[in-house]
Amino acid sequence: MTNPLIPGLAIVAVDVVVWRARLPANDLARLFIRLALFFLFSWVLFSSGLSPFTQAPYLDVVELHWLGQVLEIIWWLMGARLLTLSLDTLLLPRAWRKQRLFSDVFGAVVFLAAAVAALGFVLELPVRGLVATSGALAIVLGLAIQSTLSDVFAGIVINTTEPYAIGDWVTIDDVEGKVVEMNWRATHLLTGQGNTLIVPNAVAAKAKITNNSRPGDVHGLSLVLEIEPEARPKTVLDALGRALTGCNVILATPAPYARMKRTTANSVQYEVVAFVSDMNQKLAVSSELFDLCYRHLASADVALRALGVPAPAVTSRDEKEALLKRVSLFDSLSGEEVTRLAKCLSRHEYQENHQILAPDTVPDSLSIVHSGVLSVSIAESESSREIARIGPGEAFGEAGLLAGLSMRVSIATLTPSVLFQLSKDDMTSFLKDHPEVAKQMCQLLAYRQDKLGRLVTPMPAAQKKGHTLFQWLLETVWNRHSLNDESENK
């Protein structure tokens, strides 16, 4: 081939189009096309005597000579780029390709070598002097960018040892976040507040790193509670153990546990540790578990108070009244009304695995959990499935007591439990004086029927016409408890 400039430039143009337009979309197919173009480009150059290892010919025609020089330099740069892409696509693991560190560093070295080779072979510049000068310059630059170089080498160590990867939830220097990018300088974390935190690789390499995503199916969470030193440790640990039992979202294996962590001048620290299968559950489960700990400690008469402040004077109080004040159903009652209703409560103690409510039965009383954990299950084909667990301060049975609806669930104790129950006659007498409580109970029942309608007997279709669920329930309660006269007076 006498003049390779035109086909050479055409091949380079096609390669640029393939590179910039990303045609085809598949990375591997695009790489092979570019490799084929490079080999064709090399054949065109070498077959016409235009070698990248010597100066270009056409010394008598300056324009052709410089175009040949440009093609030879492009050959070196194109070869360096394809060598980098081949290593990145064919040899590096997928995790390393995502992190880009090795490919970036290797690409920089290859391009530097290609540039030096092009200067030496194509332009015939004194490379030895250039290398010596660049060595001195490199020492000066190295001293000036020590921190950047330390980040680069630390990044190489991190990518080699792989303490974390993109997508992992990690804690670096007490900062937790999701790894969204790893490059030659830093690791980028997406924190729980939605902010991006940039941790230099040199800092990450020296820090204590906790990878919360390994193993992938177990993620721990920990709560530290400071309890007044007057509380007996066994009482506190038993209450915390019941709180762990009451959370059915945590894993049974590894087993959750509660322990006394340490003592201080003002309190005793207790730690509650549990495990979940999904990292995204940690925040919600931590909040739920803290609420359970609070309620079970309150049922055990362990007060949570501001530390460093003297404990309040012990005053006698009725446990029934204290329980009613923790039930949201009776928030609107005054102190005298709570005292009157508390006198109607009867105490019942149950051992572990005792069935409180059988499926398809109509509860004749309202039950309020004082202590312990109960399991709510629903029958499915030949087995049953647990759908919830209830603990101190929660009530059940209002569907049967108020509207005569049967429950499709089974409720049994998981731990020794204490319940206080309010019978239908006592409830009727109380509702006649406080019909606003009946409305609140109907609202609660309507909400549960709307969310968990299949757990109780559906509302009769004949009653649905022209009525909302709340209206039908309210009419049913008024009739069932003979509140018609009182409603008119109200």
Side-chain angles (χ1 to χ4, degrees):
M1 184 177 295
T2 58
N3 192 345
L5 298 181
I6 294 177
L9 291 174
I11 293 173
V12 171
V14 172
D15 181 76
V16 171
V17 171
V18 172
W19 167 46
R20 298 300 298 174
R22 300 183 63 86
L23 297 173
N26 183 272
D27 292 340
L28 189 60
R30 187 167 62 253
L31 173 63
F32 283 125
I33 291 176
R34 295 190 66 185
L35 286 173
L37 291 173
F38 177 74
F39 287 125
L40 179 61
F41 183 47
S42 301
W43 178 79
V44 169
L45 294 183
F46 284 102
S47 64
S48 61
L50 195 62
S51 173
F53 296 96
T54 61
Q55 269 199 355
Y58 321 117
L59 295 178
D60 53 340
V61 182
V62 177
E63 293 80 2
L64 294 179
H65 174 71
W66 280 108
L67 283 176
Q69 296 280 74
V70 169
L71 284 180
E72 290 180 356
I73 294 174
I74 290 176
W75 184 89
W76 282 104
L77 298 180
M78 185 185 296
R81 179 57 181 162
L82 290 177
L83 178 61
T84 304
L85 287 177
S86 299
L87 175 69
D88 189 21
T89 305
L90 301 177
L91 299 180
L92 288 182
R94 183 178 299 273
W96 290 13
R97 295 203 298 270
K98 290 182 179 179
Q99 295 162 5
R100 305 300 307 161
L101 177 63
F102 276 103
S103 60
D104 290 346
V105 174
F106 181 76
V109 174
V110 171
F111 269 96
L112 179 61
V116 172
L119 293 175
F121 289 112
V122 179
L123 302 180
E124 295 184 352
L125 295 178
V127 178
R128 291 185 178 180
L130 179 64
V131 171
T133 304
S134 63
L137 180 63
I139 295 176
V140 175
L141 290 177
L143 294 175
I145 57 173
Q146 292 184 58
S147 60
T148 303
L149 290 177
S150 64
D151 289 333
V152 172
F153 287 106
I156 294 176
V157 173
I158 290 175
N159 279 262
T160 304
T161 57
E162 294 186 337
Y164 50 81
I166 293 178
D168 289 351
W169 280 88
V170 299
T171 302
I172 302 177
D173 278 346
D174 298 327
V175 177
E176 184 178 44
K178 182 180 181 180
V179 180
V180 294
E181 182 182 348
M182 297 173 62
N183 54 39
W184 57 270
R185 179 186 173 275
T187 297
H188 295 231
L189 301 180
L190 181 64
T191 65
Q193 291 77 30
N195 302 321
T196 299
L197 177 69
I198 300 176
V199 182
N201 289 331
V203 175
K206 298 176 182 179
K208 180 177 66 175
I209 301 173
T210 302
N211 193 329
N212 299 317
S213 297
R214 300 180 186 176
D217 56 348
V218 177
H219 308 281
L221 58 93
S222 173
L223 297 177
V224 177
L225 304 174
E226 297 196 17
I227 307 298
E228 57 186 5
E230 294 84 0
R232 182 184 175 186
K234 184 179 186 305
T235 302
V236 176
L237 292 174
D238 288 345
L240 297 179
R242 290 192 295 270
L244 289 170
T245 303
C247 186
N248 62 344
V249 185
I250 61 178
L251 297 176
T253 305
Y257 63 89
R259 69 184 181 98
M260 188 186 75
K261 188 174 183 180
R262 68 189 184 97
T263 60
T264 66
N266 298 317
S267 66
V268 180
Q269 290 187 351
Y270 294 84
E271 183 180 26
V272 177
V273 179
F275 304 88
V276 293
S277 58
D278 188 352
M279 187 67 190
N280 295 323
Q281 294 179 317
K282 286 188 66 174
L283 292 178
V285 174
S286 296
S287 299
E288 178 184 352
L289 193 56
F290 184 82
D291 179 72
L292 287 170
C293 291
Y294 179 90
R295 286 156 50 195
H296 282 276
L297 288 171
S299 69
D301 204 20
V302 176
L304 296 178
R305 59 180 177 86
L307 303 178
V309 178
V314 179
T315 57
S316 59
R317 65 168 183 169
D318 188 277
E319 62 179 2
K320 299 179 183 179
E321 295 183 19
L323 178 61
L324 287 177
K325 291 179 180 179
R326 294 202 300 268
V327 179
S328 59
L329 195 63
F330 305 110
D331 285 342
S332 63
L333 299 184
S334 65
E336 295 180 356
E337 293 167 344
V338 170
T339 301
R340 175 189 168 184
L341 188 60
K343 295 178 180 179
C344 302
L345 295 177
S346 58
R347 179 187 175 97
H348 300 268
E349 296 186 8
Y350 300 96
Q351 295 301 314
E352 183 179 352
N353 297 325
H354 181 88
Q355 188 177 53
I356 305 296
L357 180 67
D360 299 321
T361 58
V362 179
D364 58 354
S365 62
L366 176 69
S367 298
I368 305 173
V369 182
H370 176 262
S371 64
V373 180
L374 289 79
S375 173
V376 182
S377 304
I378 185 172
E380 292 184 345
S381 62
E382 297 180 357
S383 61
S384 62
R385 177 176 61 91
E386 184 181 65
I387 59 173
R389 293 184 182 181
I390 54 181
E394 295 184 271
F396 62 90
E398 69 280 354
L401 181 66
L402 294 175
L405 298 177
S406 62
M407 301 292 293
R408 295 182 179 179
V409 298
S410 173
I411 300 180
T413 59
L414 291 178
T415 65
S417 305
V418 176
L419 275 63
F420 284 92
Q421 294 181 348
L422 186 65
S423 66
K424 177 179 177 297
D425 293 338
D426 292 330
M427 177 60 76
T428 299
S429 176
F430 183 79
L431 292 180
K432 286 182 178 181
D433 294 333
H434 304 282
E436 69 279 0
V437 177
K439 294 181 181 180
Q440 292 182 7
M441 289 183 172
C442 288
Q443 290 175 344
L444 176 62
L445 184 56
Y447 172 80
R448 292 184 177 180
Q449 175 76 4
D450 181 60
K451 297 296 182 181
L452 305 172
R454 61 195 182 94
L455 304 184
V456 298
T457 302
M459 184 178 68
Q463 300 291 344
K464 291 183 179 180
K465 298 179 180 179
H467 293 76
T468 64
L469 178 57
F470 171 72
Q471 290 173 339
W472 178 81
L473 287 172
L474 193 60
E475 292 179 3
T476 303
V477 171
W478 246 244
N479 294 330
R480 179 177 173 82
H481 295 273
S482 303
L483 302 181
N484 292 325
D485 295 337
E486 285 73 14
S487 64
E488 294 175 357
N489 294 333
K490 296 293 181 182

